[in-house]
């Protein structure tokens, strides 16, 4: 009988490849100094480091959101599925399956939870039935959102808004989610719950994650691979179990 166990060297497809990028703000402030990292298909990759290490800037460089803050990638390259993407509009990147959940949630406060979730499907071309099915999927992962679906997002808790932000990203049917500081401002129990759902989404839905996080202990328990940033440089990387 043949052994069907894959070998450790089995080729894993790389979704995202960031190669030696530098980022400058306002033409003078060098924030990233040669950052390189990769995210495999089906992986959870953690980007770790203290406040100001460059984690958010790295995510915004990938999702092309730097220009709104007068930032620009001046060196290096960013490829998604082998295609250079650093010159694409953010909306084009969303259509390719890459979406960012911003630090601080950024829900539309005056809209209900359900209306917020539906804004995530604005790029979808499938009919109402497919979107309704995905809304049901989001509610199955986040039962609390089902309970609060008619509530204005601005009147919900920080944890519920974080769930709403991740659920809204899921409504775009992403292949990769860039998740920025999901634990910020949340109680430890909620942090565990949200990271547990991230793990479920990764395993059941096949969503790949690049997550920026200060809470190193929690992130490394759920991630497969990690990169540690310090002052805009990667100072250490490796399997999460070793880090």
């Amino acid at each position: 009988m043949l052994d069907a166990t894959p070998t450790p060297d089995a080729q894993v497809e790389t979704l995202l490849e960031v190669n030696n990028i530098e980022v400058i703000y306002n033409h003078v402030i060098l924030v990233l100094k040669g950052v390189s990292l990769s995210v495999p298909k089906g992986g959870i990759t953690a980007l770790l480091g203290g406040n100001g290490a460059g984690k958010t800037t790295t995510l915004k460089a990938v999702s092309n959101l730097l220009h709104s803050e007068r930032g620009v990638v001046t060196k290096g390259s960013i490829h998604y599925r082998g295609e250079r993407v650093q010159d694409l509009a953010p909306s084009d990147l969303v259509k390719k399956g890459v979406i960012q959940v911003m630090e601080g949630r950024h829900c539309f406060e005056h809209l209900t939870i359900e209306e917020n979730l539906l804004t995530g499907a604005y790029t979808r071309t499938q009919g109402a039935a497919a979107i309704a099915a995905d809304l049901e999927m989001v509610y199955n992962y986040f039962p609390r959102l089902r309970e609060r679906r008619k509530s204005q997002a601005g009147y919900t808790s920080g944890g519920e808004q974080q769930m709403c932000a991740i659920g809204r990203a899921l409504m775009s049917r992403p292949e990769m989610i860039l998740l920025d500081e999901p634990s910020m401002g949340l109680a430890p129990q909620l942090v565990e719950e949200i990271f547990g759902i991230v793990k479920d989404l990764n395993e059941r839905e096949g969503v790949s994650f690049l997550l920026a996080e200060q809470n190193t202990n929690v992130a490394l328990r759920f991630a497969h691979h990690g990169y540690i940033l310090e002052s805009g440089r990667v100072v250490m990387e490796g399997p999460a179990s070793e880090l």
Side-chain angles (χ1 to χ4, degrees):
M1 184 176 174
L2 290 173
D3 183 5
T5 307
T7 64
D9 297 324
Q11 273 300 104
V12 177
E13 181 185 352
T14 298
L15 280 186
L16 176 69
E17 190 78 44
V18 176
N19 184 35
N20 204 34
I21 63 167
E22 290 190 355
V23 169
I24 290 179
Y25 283 107
N26 293 320
H27 306 291
V28 290
I29 306 167
L30 180 62
V31 179
L32 297 185
K33 307 159 188 174
V35 169
S36 296
L37 59 88
S38 64
V39 180
K41 184 174 173 61
I44 300 177
T45 301
L47 196 55
L48 308 164
N51 203 19
K55 304 185 302 298
T56 294
T57 296
T58 302
L59 294 193
K60 287 185 175 179
V62 172
S63 57
N64 294 335
L65 294 175
L66 286 174
H67 293 294
S68 63
E69 298 175 353
R70 301 187 70 187
V72 63
V73 177
T74 53
K75 289 184 182 175
S77 62
I78 301 168
H79 288 80
Y80 186 73
R81 286 192 163 278
E83 178 188 349
R84 181 184 164 100
V85 294
Q86 65 214 62
D87 303 317
L88 292 181
S91 57
D92 291 333
L93 205 55
V94 170
K95 290 172 185 172
K96 289 185 179 296
V98 183
I99 193 161
Q100 181 166 346
V101 177
M102 307 280 282
E103 176 187 329
R105 276 76 84 172
H106 292 281
C107 293
F108 299 109
E109 294 187 359
H110 61 290
L111 298 181
T112 66
I113 289 290
E114 187 157 296
E115 287 167 341
N116 265 279
L117 293 175
L118 290 172
T119 63
Y122 82 100
T123 58
R124 302 272 298 275
T125 55
Q126 300 93 331
I131 291 171
D134 284 346
L135 189 61
E136 185 62 24
M137 173 196 71
V138 169
Y139 285 147
N140 287 337
Y141 279 107
F142 300 101
R144 202 172 315 183
L145 294 185
R146 190 194 302 274
E147 297 167 15
R148 303 299 308 272
R149 67 185 186 278
K150 299 300 180 190
S151 302
Q152 266 189 277
Y155 292 101
T156 60
S157 70
E160 288 162 349
Q161 288 181 30
Q162 183 67 73
M163 293 175 187
C164 180
I166 297 172
R168 181 176 60 194
L170 284 175
M171 289 297 293
S172 72
R173 272 290 172 187
E175 187 173 36
M176 176 181 289
I177 293 179
L178 311 173
L179 188 53
D180 197 0
E181 299 283 6
S183 73
M184 181 177 280
L186 301 184
Q189 186 178 346
L190 264 177
V191 172
E192 291 285 335
E193 184 179 343
I194 283 170
F195 270 91
I197 292 168
V198 165
K199 186 181 180 199
D200 282 348
L201 290 169
N202 173 253
E203 292 174 353
R204 296 183 195 169
E205 308 296 332
V207 180
S208 304
F209 284 88
L210 174 60
L211 60 92
E213 183 55 75
Q214 285 190 58
N215 191 333
T216 305
N217 290 334
V218 174
L220 288 178
R221 271 197 288 118
F222 289 92
H224 304 122
H225 199 87
Y227 294 83
I228 297 176
L229 276 179
E230 205 172 273
S231 302
R233 288 189 173 92
V234 175
V235 294
M236 194 181 295
E237 65 139 316
S241 55
E242 292 178 17
L243 284 178

